[in-house]
Amino acid sequence: MGQVIKVEVNGKAYEKEVEPRLLLVHFLRETLGLTGTNVGCETSLCGACTVHVDGVAVKSCTQLAVQADGSKVTTIEGMSPHDDSARLRRDGQLHPLQQAFWDEHGLQCGYCTPGMIMAAADLLSKNASPSEKEIREALKGNVCRCTGYHNIVRAIAAAAGGAS
Ligand code: FES
Ligand code: FES
């Protein structure tokens, strides 16, 4: 038996019937088709699935979709400036963090990148000018299997307007 939830995702309101055991990450990817959020471990270890729920970074494999009922969720697709459909971004415009990851070569395979950017955005919303140590601390729940941490930290520092 499903349960009806109402959530706002990337500025768009949804009302969907979901299975009570459906994870938020699967709701985003499979029900809404927002596949920018990746699934790595499904055990809260890797951070690939990080999204924002009511402005706070959350590992979406650790939450049920029903727990997001009434919340505002932002995924990587909602980070760049977008028009009425959250999945259509304006040509060539990236979020400053996305641009900085591009400029600073902050990714290799890119699998961890959406989660890294969402975790970094949470950090910068609380601390506009973090030190390298604070950036590394904020990313401790996000794993990059390509071990590209140095450029990831540089990218976040650049987005914050500094240099690591
Ligand atoms: Fe959620 Fe790894 S998939 S933390
Ligand atoms: Fe490949 Fe991070 S860039 S996992």
Side-chain angles (χ1 to χ4, degrees), residues 106-113 116 143-149 152:
L107 59 113
Q108 292 181 53
C109 80
Y111 202 83
C112 70
T113 311
M116 290 286 183
V143 174
C144 176
R145 67 185 174 183
C146 301
T147 64
Y149 297 103
I152 289 170

Side-chain angles (χ1 to χ4, degrees), residues 39-49 59 61:
V39 184
C41 63
E42 276 195 318
T43 53
S44 187
L45 293 172
C46 75
C49 64
K59 292 178 178 177
C61 74

Side-chain angles (χ1 to χ4, degrees), residues 109-139:
C109 80
Y111 202 83
C112 70
T113 311
M116 290 286 183
I117 287 178
M118 300 311 285
D122 185 26
L123 168 67
L124 296 186
S125 73
K126 297 171 188 155
N127 179 355
S129 187
S131 65
E132 178 179 345
K133 187 170 177 233
E134 289 169 329
I135 294 171
R136 290 184 182 274
E137 181 73 12
L139 295 183

Side-chain angles (χ1 to χ4, degrees), residues 6-26:
K6 292 181 184 176
V7 287
E8 187 179 307
V9 182
N10 300 336
K12 188 174 173 186
Y14 295 90
E15 184 170 342
K16 297 279 183 189
E17 184 174 334
V18 299
E19 287 294 323
R21 65 182 177 179
L22 182 69
L23 293 173
L24 178 58
V25 66
H26 295 310

Side-chain angles (χ1 to χ4, degrees), residues 1 3 6 10 19 32 45-47 49 53-54 68 70 76 84-85 88 96 110 141-142 152 163-164:
M1 194 65 180
Q3 187 172 326
K6 292 181 184 176
N10 300 336
E19 287 294 323
L32 302 188
L45 293 172
C46 75
C49 64
V53 177
D54 294 328
I76 190 68
D84 32 9
S85 166
L88 294 176
N142 291 72
I152 289 170
S164 68

